[in-house]
mmCIF file with all atom_site columns, all heavy atoms in Angstrom:
data_model
loop_
_atom_site.group_PDB
_atom_site.id
_atom_site.type_symbol
_atom_site.label_atom_id
_atom_site.label_alt_id
_atom_site.label_comp_id
_atom_site.label_asym_id
_atom_site.label_entity_id
_atom_site.label_seq_id
_atom_site.pdbx_PDB_ins_code
_atom_site.Cartn_x
_atom_site.Cartn_y
_atom_site.Cartn_z
_atom_site.occupancy
_atom_site.B_iso_or_equiv
_atom_site.pdbx_formal_charge
_atom_site.auth_seq_id
_atom_site.auth_comp_id
_atom_site.auth_asym_id
_atom_site.auth_atom_id
_atom_site.pdbx_PDB_model_num
ATOM   1   N N   . TYR L 1 19  ? -10.971 -78.548 -38.113 1.00 0.00 ? 19  TYR L N   1
ATOM   2   C CA  . TYR L 1 19  ? -9.771  -78.499 -38.879 1.00 0.00 ? 19  TYR L CA  1
ATOM   3   C C   . TYR L 1 19  ? -9.485  -77.013 -39.210 1.00 0.00 ? 19  TYR L C   1
ATOM   4   O O   . TYR L 1 19  ? -10.398 -76.248 -39.218 1.00 0.00 ? 19  TYR L O   1
ATOM   5   C CB  . TYR L 1 19  ? -9.894  -79.209 -40.196 1.00 0.00 ? 19  TYR L CB  1
ATOM   6   C CG  . TYR L 1 19  ? -9.674  -80.672 -40.014 1.00 0.00 ? 19  TYR L CG  1
ATOM   7   C CD1 . TYR L 1 19  ? -10.807 -81.638 -39.805 1.00 0.00 ? 19  TYR L CD1 1
ATOM   8   C CD2 . TYR L 1 19  ? -8.379  -81.363 -39.915 1.00 0.00 ? 19  TYR L CD2 1
ATOM   9   C CE1 . TYR L 1 19  ? -10.546 -83.021 -39.594 1.00 0.00 ? 19  TYR L CE1 1
ATOM   10  C CE2 . TYR L 1 19  ? -8.218  -82.710 -39.609 1.00 0.00 ? 19  TYR L CE2 1
ATOM   11  C CZ  . TYR L 1 19  ? -9.337  -83.462 -39.462 1.00 0.00 ? 19  TYR L CZ  1
ATOM   12  O OH  . TYR L 1 19  ? -9.247  -84.727 -39.165 1.00 0.00 ? 19  TYR L OH  1
ATOM   13  N N   . TYR L 1 49  ? -1.887  -87.392 -45.850 1.00 0.00 ? 49  TYR L N   1
ATOM   14  C CA  . TYR L 1 49  ? -1.080  -87.837 -44.714 1.00 0.00 ? 49  TYR L CA  1
ATOM   15  C C   . TYR L 1 49  ? -0.693  -89.336 -45.039 1.00 0.00 ? 49  TYR L C   1
ATOM   16  O O   . TYR L 1 49  ? -0.853  -90.198 -44.260 1.00 0.00 ? 49  TYR L O   1
ATOM   17  C CB  . TYR L 1 49  ? -1.917  -87.898 -43.426 1.00 0.00 ? 49  TYR L CB  1
ATOM   18  C CG  . TYR L 1 49  ? -2.277  -86.485 -42.981 1.00 0.00 ? 49  TYR L CG  1
ATOM   19  C CD1 . TYR L 1 49  ? -3.656  -86.042 -43.138 1.00 0.00 ? 49  TYR L CD1 1
ATOM   20  C CD2 . TYR L 1 49  ? -1.383  -85.643 -42.561 1.00 0.00 ? 49  TYR L CD2 1
ATOM   21  C CE1 . TYR L 1 49  ? -3.943  -84.779 -42.734 1.00 0.00 ? 49  TYR L CE1 1
ATOM   22  C CE2 . TYR L 1 49  ? -1.645  -84.274 -42.205 1.00 0.00 ? 49  TYR L CE2 1
ATOM   23  C CZ  . TYR L 1 49  ? -2.986  -83.883 -42.337 1.00 0.00 ? 49  TYR L CZ  1
ATOM   24  O OH  . TYR L 1 49  ? -3.461  -82.667 -41.899 1.00 0.00 ? 49  TYR L OH  1
ATOM   25  N N   . THR L 1 105 ? -11.175 -97.455 -40.638 1.00 0.00 ? 105 THR L N   1
ATOM   26  C CA  . THR L 1 105 ? -10.297 -96.292 -40.394 1.00 0.00 ? 105 THR L CA  1
ATOM   27  C C   . THR L 1 105 ? -9.113  -96.767 -39.485 1.00 0.00 ? 105 THR L C   1
ATOM   28  O O   . THR L 1 105 ? -9.129  -97.749 -38.955 1.00 0.00 ? 105 THR L O   1
ATOM   29  C CB  . THR L 1 105 ? -11.042 -95.102 -39.587 1.00 0.00 ? 105 THR L CB  1
ATOM   30  O OG1 . THR L 1 105 ? -11.333 -95.617 -38.309 1.00 0.00 ? 105 THR L OG1 1
ATOM   31  C CG2 . THR L 1 105 ? -12.351 -94.667 -40.404 1.00 0.00 ? 105 THR L CG2 1
ATOM   32  N N   . GLY L 1 106 ? -8.107  -95.877 -39.521 1.00 0.00 ? 106 GLY L N   1
ATOM   33  C CA  . GLY L 1 106 ? -6.945  -96.156 -38.723 1.00 0.00 ? 106 GLY L CA  1
ATOM   34  C C   . GLY L 1 106 ? -7.231  -96.315 -37.276 1.00 0.00 ? 106 GLY L C   1
ATOM   35  O O   . GLY L 1 106 ? -6.784  -97.176 -36.614 1.00 0.00 ? 106 GLY L O   1
ATOM   36  N N   . ALA L 1 107 ? -8.051  -95.252 -36.727 1.00 0.00 ? 107 ALA L N   1
ATOM   37  C CA  . ALA L 1 107 ? -8.205  -95.289 -35.378 1.00 0.00 ? 107 ALA L CA  1
ATOM   38  C C   . ALA L 1 107 ? -8.992  -96.582 -34.975 1.00 0.00 ? 107 ALA L C   1
ATOM   39  O O   . ALA L 1 107 ? -8.747  -97.151 -33.923 1.00 0.00 ? 107 ALA L O   1
ATOM   40  C CB  . ALA L 1 107 ? -9.036  -94.046 -34.903 1.00 0.00 ? 107 ALA L CB  1
ATOM   41  N N   . PHE L 1 141 ? 0.919   -90.395 -31.947 1.00 0.00 ? 141 PHE L N   1
ATOM   42  C CA  . PHE L 1 141 ? -0.480  -90.104 -32.482 1.00 0.00 ? 141 PHE L CA  1
ATOM   43  C C   . PHE L 1 141 ? -0.976  -91.349 -33.175 1.00 0.00 ? 141 PHE L C   1
ATOM   44  O O   . PHE L 1 141 ? -0.348  -92.127 -34.006 1.00 0.00 ? 141 PHE L O   1
ATOM   45  C CB  . PHE L 1 141 ? -0.279  -89.089 -33.739 1.00 0.00 ? 141 PHE L CB  1
ATOM   46  C CG  . PHE L 1 141 ? -1.654  -88.654 -34.205 1.00 0.00 ? 141 PHE L CG  1
ATOM   47  C CD1 . PHE L 1 141 ? -2.298  -87.583 -33.728 1.00 0.00 ? 141 PHE L CD1 1
ATOM   48  C CD2 . PHE L 1 141 ? -2.227  -89.351 -35.145 1.00 0.00 ? 141 PHE L CD2 1
ATOM   49  C CE1 . PHE L 1 141 ? -3.563  -87.235 -34.189 1.00 0.00 ? 141 PHE L CE1 1
ATOM   50  C CE2 . PHE L 1 141 ? -3.521  -89.175 -35.686 1.00 0.00 ? 141 PHE L CE2 1
ATOM   51  C CZ  . PHE L 1 141 ? -4.117  -88.046 -35.161 1.00 0.00 ? 141 PHE L CZ  1
ATOM   52  N N   . HIS L 1 142 ? -2.086  -91.840 -32.589 1.00 0.00 ? 142 HIS L N   1
ATOM   53  C CA  . HIS L 1 142 ? -2.773  -93.049 -33.069 1.00 0.00 ? 142 HIS L CA  1
ATOM   54  C C   . HIS L 1 142 ? -4.184  -92.912 -33.480 1.00 0.00 ? 142 HIS L C   1
ATOM   55  O O   . HIS L 1 142 ? -4.914  -93.881 -33.812 1.00 0.00 ? 142 HIS L O   1
ATOM   56  C CB  . HIS L 1 142 ? -2.698  -94.114 -31.959 1.00 0.00 ? 142 HIS L CB  1
ATOM   57  C CG  . HIS L 1 142 ? -1.223  -94.535 -31.657 1.00 0.00 ? 142 HIS L CG  1
ATOM   58  N ND1 . HIS L 1 142 ? -0.382  -95.406 -32.416 1.00 0.00 ? 142 HIS L ND1 1
ATOM   59  C CD2 . HIS L 1 142 ? -0.450  -94.294 -30.556 1.00 0.00 ? 142 HIS L CD2 1
ATOM   60  C CE1 . HIS L 1 142 ? 0.824   -95.596 -31.942 1.00 0.00 ? 142 HIS L CE1 1
ATOM   61  N NE2 . HIS L 1 142 ? 0.829   -94.869 -30.710 1.00 0.00 ? 142 HIS L NE2 1
ATOM   62  N N   . GLY L 1 143 ? -4.690  -91.703 -33.435 1.00 0.00 ? 143 GLY L N   1
ATOM   63  C CA  . GLY L 1 143 ? -6.067  -91.564 -33.785 1.00 0.00 ? 143 GLY L CA  1
ATOM   64  C C   . GLY L 1 143 ? -6.770  -90.574 -32.798 1.00 0.00 ? 143 GLY L C   1
ATOM   65  O O   . GLY L 1 143 ? -6.159  -89.967 -31.929 1.00 0.00 ? 143 GLY L O   1
ATOM   66  N N   . ARG L 1 144 ? -8.102  -90.588 -33.086 1.00 0.00 ? 144 ARG L N   1
ATOM   67  C CA  . ARG L 1 144 ? -8.945  -89.554 -32.372 1.00 0.00 ? 144 ARG L CA  1
ATOM   68  C C   . ARG L 1 144 ? -10.062 -90.057 -31.307 1.00 0.00 ? 144 ARG L C   1
ATOM   69  O O   . ARG L 1 144 ? -10.846 -89.379 -30.942 1.00 0.00 ? 144 ARG L O   1
ATOM   70  C CB  . ARG L 1 144 ? -9.685  -88.763 -33.386 1.00 0.00 ? 144 ARG L CB  1
ATOM   71  C CG  . ARG L 1 144 ? -8.754  -88.022 -34.310 1.00 0.00 ? 144 ARG L CG  1
ATOM   72  C CD  . ARG L 1 144 ? -8.022  -86.909 -33.638 1.00 0.00 ? 144 ARG L CD  1
ATOM   73  N NE  . ARG L 1 144 ? -7.343  -86.054 -34.494 1.00 0.00 ? 144 ARG L NE  1
ATOM   74  C CZ  . ARG L 1 144 ? -6.828  -84.855 -34.157 1.00 0.00 ? 144 ARG L CZ  1
ATOM   75  N NH1 . ARG L 1 144 ? -6.823  -84.516 -32.860 1.00 0.00 ? 144 ARG L NH1 1
ATOM   76  N NH2 . ARG L 1 144 ? -6.184  -84.040 -35.049 1.00 0.00 ? 144 ARG L NH2 1
ATOM   77  N N   . GLU L 1 194 ? 4.778   -96.196 -33.096 1.00 0.00 ? 194 GLU L N   1
ATOM   78  C CA  . GLU L 1 194 ? 4.953   -95.898 -34.408 1.00 0.00 ? 194 GLU L CA  1
ATOM   79  C C   . GLU L 1 194 ? 6.373   -95.945 -34.925 1.00 0.00 ? 194 GLU L C   1
ATOM   80  O O   . GLU L 1 194 ? 7.181   -95.362 -34.232 1.00 0.00 ? 194 GLU L O   1
ATOM   81  C CB  . GLU L 1 194 ? 4.589   -94.346 -34.685 1.00 0.00 ? 194 GLU L CB  1
ATOM   82  C CG  . GLU L 1 194 ? 3.194   -94.020 -34.157 1.00 0.00 ? 194 GLU L CG  1
ATOM   83  C CD  . GLU L 1 194 ? 3.111   -92.410 -34.108 1.00 0.00 ? 194 GLU L CD  1
ATOM   84  O OE1 . GLU L 1 194 ? 2.872   -91.750 -34.943 1.00 0.00 ? 194 GLU L OE1 1
ATOM   85  O OE2 . GLU L 1 194 ? 3.068   -92.210 -32.800 1.00 0.00 ? 194 GLU L OE2 1
ATOM   86  N N   . GLU L 1 199 ? 3.145   -87.635 -36.915 1.00 0.00 ? 199 GLU L N   1
ATOM   87  C CA  . GLU L 1 199 ? 2.562   -86.413 -36.515 1.00 0.00 ? 199 GLU L CA  1
ATOM   88  C C   . GLU L 1 199 ? 3.429   -85.623 -35.498 1.00 0.00 ? 199 GLU L C   1
ATOM   89  O O   . GLU L 1 199 ? 3.408   -84.344 -35.470 1.00 0.00 ? 199 GLU L O   1
ATOM   90  C CB  . GLU L 1 199 ? 1.333   -86.750 -35.611 1.00 0.00 ? 199 GLU L CB  1
ATOM   91  C CG  . GLU L 1 199 ? 0.154   -87.090 -36.617 1.00 0.00 ? 199 GLU L CG  1
ATOM   92  C CD  . GLU L 1 199 ? 0.082   -86.304 -37.903 1.00 0.00 ? 199 GLU L CD  1
ATOM   93  O OE1 . GLU L 1 199 ? -0.321  -85.134 -37.785 1.00 0.00 ? 199 GLU L OE1 1
ATOM   94  O OE2 . GLU L 1 199 ? 0.584   -86.830 -38.993 1.00 0.00 ? 199 GLU L OE2 1
ATOM   95  N N   . ASP L 1 227 ? 2.222   -99.603 -35.081 1.00 0.00 ? 227 ASP L N   1
ATOM   96  C CA  . ASP L 1 227 ? 1.186   -98.890 -35.949 1.00 0.00 ? 227 ASP L CA  1
ATOM   97  C C   . ASP L 1 227 ? 1.906   -98.292 -37.231 1.00 0.00 ? 227 ASP L C   1
ATOM   98  O O   . ASP L 1 227 ? 2.677   -97.372 -37.142 1.00 0.00 ? 227 ASP L O   1
ATOM   99  C CB  . ASP L 1 227 ? 0.772   -97.638 -35.029 1.00 0.00 ? 227 ASP L CB  1
ATOM   100 C CG  . ASP L 1 227 ? -0.196  -96.760 -35.705 1.00 0.00 ? 227 ASP L CG  1
ATOM   101 O OD1 . ASP L 1 227 ? -0.320  -96.811 -36.924 1.00 0.00 ? 227 ASP L OD1 1
ATOM   102 O OD2 . ASP L 1 227 ? -0.856  -95.944 -35.106 1.00 0.00 ? 227 ASP L OD2 1
ATOM   103 N N   . ILE L 1 229 ? 0.228   -97.155 -39.844 1.00 0.00 ? 229 ILE L N   1
ATOM   104 C CA  . ILE L 1 229 ? -0.769  -96.463 -40.544 1.00 0.00 ? 229 ILE L CA  1
ATOM   105 C C   . ILE L 1 229 ? -0.315  -95.466 -41.505 1.00 0.00 ? 229 ILE L C   1
ATOM   106 O O   . ILE L 1 229 ? -0.630  -95.348 -42.712 1.00 0.00 ? 229 ILE L O   1
ATOM   107 C CB  . ILE L 1 229 ? -1.960  -96.044 -39.577 1.00 0.00 ? 229 ILE L CB  1
ATOM   108 C CG1 . ILE L 1 229 ? -2.668  -97.269 -39.129 1.00 0.00 ? 229 ILE L CG1 1
ATOM   109 C CG2 . ILE L 1 229 ? -2.910  -95.101 -40.337 1.00 0.00 ? 229 ILE L CG2 1
ATOM   110 C CD1 . ILE L 1 229 ? -3.528  -96.896 -37.904 1.00 0.00 ? 229 ILE L CD1 1
ATOM   111 N N   . GLN L 1 230 ? 0.686   -94.689 -40.956 1.00 0.00 ? 230 GLN L N   1
ATOM   112 C CA  . GLN L 1 230 ? 1.310   -93.668 -41.786 1.00 0.00 ? 230 GLN L CA  1
ATOM   113 C C   . GLN L 1 230 ? 2.612   -94.013 -42.426 1.00 0.00 ? 230 GLN L C   1
ATOM   114 O O   . GLN L 1 230 ? 2.999   -93.554 -43.509 1.00 0.00 ? 230 GLN L O   1
ATOM   115 C CB  . GLN L 1 230 ? 1.503   -92.409 -40.901 1.00 0.00 ? 230 GLN L CB  1
ATOM   116 C CG  . GLN L 1 230 ? 2.042   -91.134 -41.666 1.00 0.00 ? 230 GLN L CG  1
ATOM   117 C CD  . GLN L 1 230 ? 1.976   -89.845 -40.905 1.00 0.00 ? 230 GLN L CD  1
ATOM   118 O OE1 . GLN L 1 230 ? 2.634   -88.972 -41.173 1.00 0.00 ? 230 GLN L OE1 1
ATOM   119 N NE2 . GLN L 1 230 ? 1.018   -89.673 -40.051 1.00 0.00 ? 230 GLN L NE2 1
ATOM   120 N N   . LYS L 1 268 ? -4.869  -96.069 -44.149 1.00 0.00 ? 268 LYS L N   1
ATOM   121 C CA  . LYS L 1 268 ? -4.541  -95.091 -45.162 1.00 0.00 ? 268 LYS L CA  1
ATOM   122 C C   . LYS L 1 268 ? -4.233  -95.759 -46.471 1.00 0.00 ? 268 LYS L C   1
ATOM   123 O O   . LYS L 1 268 ? -5.100  -96.048 -47.225 1.00 0.00 ? 268 LYS L O   1
ATOM   124 C CB  . LYS L 1 268 ? -3.194  -94.362 -44.605 1.00 0.00 ? 268 LYS L CB  1
ATOM   125 C CG  . LYS L 1 268 ? -3.618  -93.413 -43.484 1.00 0.00 ? 268 LYS L CG  1
ATOM   126 C CD  . LYS L 1 268 ? -2.427  -92.495 -43.197 1.00 0.00 ? 268 LYS L CD  1
ATOM   127 C CE  . LYS L 1 268 ? -2.620  -91.874 -41.766 1.00 0.00 ? 268 LYS L CE  1
ATOM   128 N NZ  . LYS L 1 268 ? -3.317  -90.557 -41.800 1.00 0.00 ? 268 LYS L NZ  1
HETATM 129 N N1  . LIG W 2 .   ? -1.993  -93.968 -36.557 1.00 0.00 ? 501 LIG W N1  1
HETATM 130 C C1  . LIG W 2 .   ? -1.160  -93.125 -37.080 1.00 0.00 ? 501 LIG W C1  1
HETATM 131 C C2  . LIG W 2 .   ? 0.253   -93.395 -37.013 1.00 0.00 ? 501 LIG W C2  1
HETATM 132 C C3  . LIG W 2 .   ? -1.725  -92.175 -37.903 1.00 0.00 ? 501 LIG W C3  1
HETATM 133 O O1  . LIG W 2 .   ? -0.886  -91.250 -38.561 1.00 0.00 ? 501 LIG W O1  1
HETATM 134 C C4  . LIG W 2 .   ? -4.085  -92.815 -37.229 1.00 0.00 ? 501 LIG W C4  1
HETATM 135 C C5  . LIG W 2 .   ? -3.434  -93.824 -36.501 1.00 0.00 ? 501 LIG W C5  1
HETATM 136 C C6  . LIG W 2 .   ? -5.463  -92.643 -37.327 1.00 0.00 ? 501 LIG W C6  1
HETATM 137 O O2  . LIG W 2 .   ? -6.037  -92.938 -38.591 1.00 0.00 ? 501 LIG W O2  1
HETATM 138 P P1  . LIG W 2 .   ? -7.387  -92.371 -39.090 1.00 0.00 ? 501 LIG W P1  1
HETATM 139 O O3  . LIG W 2 .   ? -7.771  -93.086 -40.325 1.00 0.00 ? 501 LIG W O3  1
HETATM 140 O O4  . LIG W 2 .   ? -8.386  -92.803 -37.964 1.00 0.00 ? 501 LIG W O4  1
HETATM 141 O O5  . LIG W 2 .   ? -7.289  -90.991 -39.174 1.00 0.00 ? 501 LIG W O5  1
HETATM 142 C C7  . LIG W 2 .   ? -3.066  -91.908 -37.899 1.00 0.00 ? 501 LIG W C7  1
HETATM 143 C C8  . LIG W 2 .   ? -3.753  -90.735 -38.729 1.00 0.00 ? 501 LIG W C8  1
HETATM 144 C C9  . LIG W 2 .   ? -6.301  -86.246 -38.690 1.00 0.00 ? 501 LIG W C9  1
HETATM 145 C C10 . LIG W 2 .   ? -4.978  -86.638 -38.963 1.00 0.00 ? 501 LIG W C10 1
HETATM 146 O O6  . LIG W 2 .   ? -6.871  -85.506 -39.560 1.00 0.00 ? 501 LIG W O6  1
HETATM 147 C C11 . LIG W 2 .   ? -4.613  -88.027 -38.890 1.00 0.00 ? 501 LIG W C11 1
HETATM 148 C C12 . LIG W 2 .   ? -3.396  -88.477 -39.154 1.00 0.00 ? 501 LIG W C12 1
HETATM 149 C C13 . LIG W 2 .   ? -2.410  -87.526 -39.636 1.00 0.00 ? 501 LIG W C13 1
HETATM 150 C C14 . LIG W 2 .   ? -2.666  -86.210 -39.723 1.00 0.00 ? 501 LIG W C14 1
HETATM 151 C C15 . LIG W 2 .   ? -3.941  -85.711 -39.506 1.00 0.00 ? 501 LIG W C15 1
HETATM 152 O O7  . LIG W 2 .   ? -6.848  -86.597 -37.618 1.00 0.00 ? 501 LIG W O7  1
HETATM 153 N N2  . LIG W 2 .   ? -2.955  -89.738 -39.091 1.00 0.00 ? 501 LIG W N2  1
#
Side-chain angles (χ1 to χ4, degrees):
Y19 281 94
Y49 301 109
T105 65
F141 187 93
H142 297 285
R144 301 290 196 171
E194 299 157 85
E199 289 319 288
D227 179 345
I229 290 167
Q230 187 167 155
K268 294 190 194 271

